[in-house]
């Protein structure tokens, strides 16, 4: 194709933006916000990178595999960028955002010269400005200064929404410094958004049909945002924020993730008994069931405290579904330590959980600790733990059979008029002939519970 033919088309069409997201839910939120920031510049998102004008990889640094994936993806993008230029279709600008950007900085551009921009998690509001500068000189890196307030202040008020559920970041950063974890280095210190800003964002989402909010933070239950904008002195706790959000018409369900056991305040536990909008599902990572390993991990709590905490939470909300994160093969972990983890899992009974093989991360204290666990031993432990956790998940799902649960329908299913929604316990629920109910909360009779989802049927056609 010649340039004279291609150019007018390229100029008329909206600019195409492709964002690929790795890692946690906060990255999903950030990717949505990057699209919001770029929309006024004429960028519309596409779901494939081929031919895109702007490609952003929003990256995760948590484990080695996650970080390395970025470089193989960049290798493919480099070829697409060359193809696009060779076809006379203009420039494909490539940016690396997120936690790898923060951790590795300009090193990324040295390793992959096709990258034009590197932008950390607190600087993506500067993308429009960076883009215009890249037109002149490539190779900018922004990040490192950790000032989340500037980012949130610069965000456009209107968010693009995607169905009846939405993520909403209320807190960022971590001061806990678990010895295995990069997050305190990539996301900076704990910081909470002012309550008024969160309420305003939530009202905007509700006006667009959002019924369920998942409040996000690396330590979301450490939330202590300024309350002056909502007419109160001091700060609001997460429990107070949830109460405030529940008064917004349309907001019927509130979830939050991820919590730290040491920040599980009394008022938050009590809120689970008092605030019906707070869903009975809690992600409360413990990482290990061994006191010795918890100490080496710098978790600042022991197994007894965690088990006792779960007990108090279940007193306030007997049906609370508990979820968790586990690491196996942490340096020095013995068979005995691992058995303590299995034992803790048996005592707590999880509704769902994530488990990982320890991955040494550069710059973290654990990466130089003595007695690394051989990979085959760690893998065998991972398999044993995952088998137990899956068994518990299947049992929890099966125990819902015969109950009637409120389901928020989110999207169409794979076939016919099937719709898929979520139970209060965050289980996927598949229901036939329900696609007209998307966006509504409807009582559903649960016929059966399988390993990964529930199957139900409608009790009535009228929506809640
Ligand atoms: N509190 C955080 C945790 C982020 S990391 C949050 O907001 O979600 C998510 C999980 O990844 C951790 O709970 C831990 O189980 C796991 N993880 C973190 N660092 C790891 C490492 N170096 N190796 C293996 N798993 C890790
Ligand atoms: Fe990482 Fe620990 Fe902070 Fe969670 S609490 S983000 S695991 S340092
Ligand atoms: Fe990964 Fe950063 Fe989230 S390291 S888990 S994307 S906070």
């Amino acid at each position: 194709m010649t340039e004279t033919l291609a150019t007018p088309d390229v100029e008329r069409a909206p600019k195409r933006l492709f964002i690929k997201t790795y890692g946690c839910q906060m990255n999903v939120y950030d990717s949505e916000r990057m699209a919001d920031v770029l929309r006024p510049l004429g960028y519309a998102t596409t779901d494939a990178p081929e031919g895109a004008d702007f490609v952003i990889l929003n990256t995760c640094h948590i484990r080695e595999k996650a970080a390395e994936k970025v470089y193989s993806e960049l290798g493919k993008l480099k070829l697409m960028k060359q193809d696009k230029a060779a076809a006379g279709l203009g420039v494909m600008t490539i940016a690396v955002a997120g936690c790898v950007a923060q951790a590795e900085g300009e090193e990324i551009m040295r390793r992959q010269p096709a990258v034009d921009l590197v932008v950390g998690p607190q600087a993506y509001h500067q993308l429009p400005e960076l883009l215009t500068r890249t037109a002149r000189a490539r190779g900018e890196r922004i990040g490192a200064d950790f000032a989340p307030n500037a980012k949130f202040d610069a965000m456009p008020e209107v968010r693009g929404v995607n169905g009846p559920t939405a993520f909403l970041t209320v807190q960022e950063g971590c001061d806990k410094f678990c010895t295995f974890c990069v997050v305190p280095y990539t996301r900076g210190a704990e910081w909470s958004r002012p309550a008024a800003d969160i309420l305003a964002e939530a009202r905007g989402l509700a006006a667009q049909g959002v019924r369920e909010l998942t409040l996000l933070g690396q330590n979301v239950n450490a939330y202590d945002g300024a309350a002056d904008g909502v007419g109160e002195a001091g700060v609001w706790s997460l429990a107070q924020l949830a109460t405030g959000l529940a008064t917004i018409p349309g907001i019927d369900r509130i979830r939050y993730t991820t919590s730290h056991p040491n920040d599980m305040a009394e008022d938050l536990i009590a809120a689970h008994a008092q605030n019906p909008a707070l869903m009975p599902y809690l992600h409360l990572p413990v990482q290990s069931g061994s006191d010795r390993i918890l100490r080496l991990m710098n978790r600042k709590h022991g197994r007894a405290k965690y088990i006792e905490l779960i007990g108090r939470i279940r007193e306030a909300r007997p049906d609370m579904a508990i979820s968790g994160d586990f690491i196996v093969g942490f340096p020095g972990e013995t068979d005995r330590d691992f058995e303590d983890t299995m034992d803790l899992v048996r005592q707590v009974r999880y509704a769902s959980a994530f488990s990982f093989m320890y991955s040494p991360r550069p710059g973290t204290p654990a990466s130089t600790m003595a007695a690394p666990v051989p990979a085959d031993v760690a893998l065998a432990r991972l398999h044993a733990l995952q088998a137990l956790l899956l068994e518990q998940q299947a049992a929890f799902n099966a125990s819902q059979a015969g109950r009637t649960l409120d389901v928020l329908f989110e999207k169409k299913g794979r076939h016919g008029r099937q719709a898929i929604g979520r139970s209060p316990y965050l289980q996927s629920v598949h229901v036939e002939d329900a696609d007209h109910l998307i966006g509504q909360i409807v009582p559903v009779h649960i016929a059966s519970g399988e390993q990964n989802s529930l199957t139900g049927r409608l009790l009535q056609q009228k929506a809640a």
Side-chain angles (χ1 to χ4, degrees):
M1 201 184 286
T2 68
E3 239 180 46
T4 33
L5 279 175
T7 309
D9 275 345
V10 170
E11 279 175 0
R12 264 202 307 273
K15 287 178 270 189
R16 280 172 304 166
L17 167 67
F18 176 73
I19 308 182
K20 182 158 183 171
T21 310
Y22 303 82
C24 62
Q25 288 139 319
M26 196 174 289
N27 264 11
V28 175
Y29 175 85
D30 288 346
S31 291
E32 288 174 12
R33 299 306 268 157
M34 285 190 237
D36 291 340
V37 175
L38 291 165
R39 201 168 296 119
L41 275 70
Y43 285 94
T45 49
T46 71
D47 42 21
E50 285 82 6
D53 300 290
F54 190 18
V55 176
I56 304 175
L57 299 185
N58 194 11
T59 62
C60 173
H61 202 240
I62 201 83
R63 284 169 288 274
E64 190 181 351
K65 250 193 208 140
E68 281 306 310
K69 259 188 229 160
V70 174
Y71 289 100
S72 60
E73 191 64 34
L74 284 174
K76 286 185 229 157
L77 288 174
K78 174 191 162 187
L79 300 177
M80 286 180 210
K81 181 177 182 141
Q82 287 169 349
D83 288 349
K84 190 176 181 210
L89 295 171
V91 180
M92 174 190 279
T93 303
I94 300 176
V96 176
C99 290
V100 177
Q102 189 64 39
E104 299 187 4
E106 282 142 20
E107 178 62 28
I108 297 169
M109 286 189 285
R110 272 193 291 276
R111 251 180 97 171
Q112 181 46 270
V115 174
D116 300 285
L117 289 167
V118 176
V119 51
Q122 309 308 354
Y124 60 72
H125 58 293
Q126 296 174 39
L127 276 170
E129 188 199 331
L130 282 172
L131 267 179
T132 49
R133 272 198 259 152
T134 332
R136 285 180 271 125
R138 74 162 274 287
E140 287 256 9
R141 183 209 168 202
I142 296 244
D145 56 345
F146 295 128
N149 52 331
K151 171 180 70 180
F152 286 110
D153 289 348
M155 285 295 144
E157 285 206 352
V158 179
R159 274 184 66 179
V161 300
N162 198 355
T165 63
F167 291 139
L168 206 179
T169 293
V170 303
Q171 182 276 341
E172 251 191 275
C174 181
D175 299 338
K176 301 284 189 291
F177 291 92
C178 300
T179 52
F180 52 81
C181 185
V182 294
V183 171
Y185 311 98
T186 64
R187 291 275 171 172
E190 286 180 8
W191 179 84
S192 298
R193 287 178 76 186
D197 294 5
I198 296 165
L199 291 175
E201 190 169 328
R203 275 187 218 106
L205 290 168
Q208 296 184 78
V210 168
R211 311 276 312 258
E212 174 180 302
L213 297 174
T214 301
L215 311 180
L216 300 181
Q218 267 86 38
N219 276 294
V220 73
N221 57 343
Y223 177 80
D224 61 348
D228 48 340
V230 289
E232 290 183 32
V235 295
W236 263 6
S237 66
L238 188 62
Q240 289 170 295
L241 180 66
T243 306
L245 288 167
T247 64
I248 297 174
I251 300 299
D252 296 304
R253 290 181 159 195
I254 298 168
R255 305 180 185 279
Y256 55 92
T257 196
T258 296
S259 297
H260 191 285
N262 288 357
D263 292 318
M264 205 65 214
E266 284 309 318
D267 70 335
L268 185 56
I269 298 175
H272 276 283
Q274 294 152 2
N275 181 350
L278 268 181
M279 289 293 103
Y281 174 94
L282 179 64
H283 185 62
L284 197 63
V286 65
Q287 315 298 350
S288 169
S290 154
D291 278 332
R292 212 177 60 82
I293 296 297
L294 287 171
R295 217 171 305 120
L296 287 172
M297 286 176 164
N298 190 34
R299 288 289 294 182
K300 302 188 182 95
H301 64 78
R303 72 177 267 137
K305 185 184 163 181
Y306 180 83
I307 292 171
E308 180 262 337
L309 174 62
I310 298 286
R312 276 192 290 129
I313 293 165
R314 282 187 168 142
E315 244 167 63
R317 182 78 208 220
D319 64 337
M320 184 76 94
I322 305 287
S323 142
D325 290 344
F326 296 89
I327 295 177
V328 298
F330 187 83
E333 186 187 70
T334 63
D335 284 343
R336 175 72 205 277
D337 294 317
F338 176 65
E339 207 26 66
D340 286 347
T341 298
M342 294 290 275
D343 181 69
L344 177 139
V345 171
R346 285 188 202 100
Q347 285 195 45
V348 171
R349 288 174 289 110
Y350 287 89
S352 74
F354 302 94
S355 42
F356 311 99
M357 233 158 85
Y358 169 70
S359 169
R361 307 303 294 130
T364 58
S367 66
T368 53
M369 278 183 189
V373 174
D376 58 332
V377 175
L379 191 62
R381 286 178 189 163
L382 185 68
H383 287 155
L385 176 61
Q386 287 182 339
L388 175 60
L389 289 166
L390 275 180
E391 198 184 299
Q392 294 191 342
Q393 181 176 313
F396 179 71
N397 289 348
S399 74
Q400 308 298 327
R403 292 187 68 189
T404 297
L405 298 179
D406 281 344
V407 171
L408 169 54
F409 285 104
E410 291 178 12
K411 57 184 181 196
K412 278 174 75 74
R414 282 232 187 96
H415 51 84
R417 297 195 38 225
Q418 189 189 53
I420 303 178
R422 295 274 185 182
S423 77
Y425 312 106
L426 203 60
Q427 295 147 303
S428 283
V429 187
H430 297 248
V431 182
E432 301 302 322
D433 298 322
D435 63 349
H436 57 299
L437 296 173
I438 289 168
Q440 299 182 33
I441 298 172
V442 183
V444 168
H445 172 80
I446 305 302
S448 64
E450 291 78 41
Q451 184 150 295
N452 295 313
S453 61
L454 308 180
T455 307
R457 62 181 154 71
L458 295 177
L459 286 183
Q460 54 181 64
Q461 293 297 318
K462 232 176 96 224

